[in-house]
Amino acid sequence: MNDTPQVSRLVRTALFVSDLDRSSRFYRQGLGYHEVYSGGELTHKVANDLLGVPEDAAIRYEIVKAEGPSFGMIGLFEVIPSPPAVNCRTGGVNVGEGCLVLLTTDIRAVRNRLVDMGAEIVCEPQRLIVRGDGPGNLEMTCRDPDGMLINLIDRPAGSF
């Protein structure tokens, strides 16, 4: 028997957004996280404690997911009044910053859809070879409406 505490695979990431409706459209329509796992307003005081926001702050949320098991979901949280934004330089990464890494079957189509939604492209699709002399994958990076870095990796259908 193993007495070492276990930690599961990533269930979801939580993003704090300035406009829940705009971010929901971006992740649902732009990235294909069509299903809503849960949403509404968090009214239990513990939610405010967990987020470190005043007891009278309102918290609206929506947890979106791709089709399939309830893992790898993206929780979008809008706190009102809004806390200060994180100041990050654009055009590259910042220490302490997160990056969502997602697979896609058509990186160029997703890129075009995201650009139409106002995404900032950090790096256009380019072939990255990580291991040996294999063919590598097309990858790109962009930012969501609040500046969250997203890395898209092109993979064939059925490989994820």
Side-chain angles (χ1 to χ4, degrees):
M1 182 168 137
N2 185 350
D3 290 334
T4 303
Q6 300 296 304
V7 176
S8 75
R9 58 189 163 164
L10 183 67
V11 174
R12 72 176 158 266
T13 191
L15 305 179
F16 299 94
V17 301
S18 61
D19 182 327
L20 181 61
D21 298 325
R22 179 182 66 175
S23 292
S24 176
R25 273 191 308 280
F26 182 87
Y27 284 93
R28 292 177 73 197
Q29 295 172 13
L31 291 175
Y33 279 68
H34 299 294
E35 295 182 28
V36 176
Y37 177 79
S38 182
E41 188 168 337
L42 294 175
T43 57
H44 195 281
K45 178 191 174 313
V46 171
N48 294 60
D49 291 343
L50 285 170
L51 300 181
V53 299
E55 190 173 314
D56 60 345
I59 304 169
R60 293 180 49 221
Y61 79 102
E62 187 171 278
I63 299 172
V64 296
K65 65 184 279 306
E67 196 174 305
S70 297
F71 283 92
M73 298 180 289
I74 300 173
L76 306 169
F77 294 82
E78 178 185 39
V79 178
I80 304 166
S82 184
V86 174
N87 291 318
C88 294
R89 73 182 181 97
T90 59
V93 299
N94 301 277
V95 171
E97 177 176 36
C99 178
L100 301 179
V101 180
L102 308 171
L103 303 176
T104 179
T105 59
D106 189 341
I107 198 167
R108 294 187 197 292
V110 172
R111 177 243 179 250
N112 293 341
R113 192 167 62 219
L114 294 176
V115 166
D116 288 345
M117 298 181 84
E120 173 198 342
I121 302 299
V122 175
C123 177
E124 293 287 352
Q126 296 187 40
R127 187 155 307 277
L128 176 64
I129 300 171
V130 177
R131 288 182 257 163
D133 58 358
N137 296 299
L138 279 179
E139 295 196 26
M140 66 168 281
T141 50
C142 66
R143 291 194 180 275
D144 81 356
D146 287 298
M148 181 68 186
L149 193 64
I150 300 170
N151 174 221
L152 294 168
I153 303 171
D154 202 61
R155 292 277 174 88
S159 67
F160 57 92

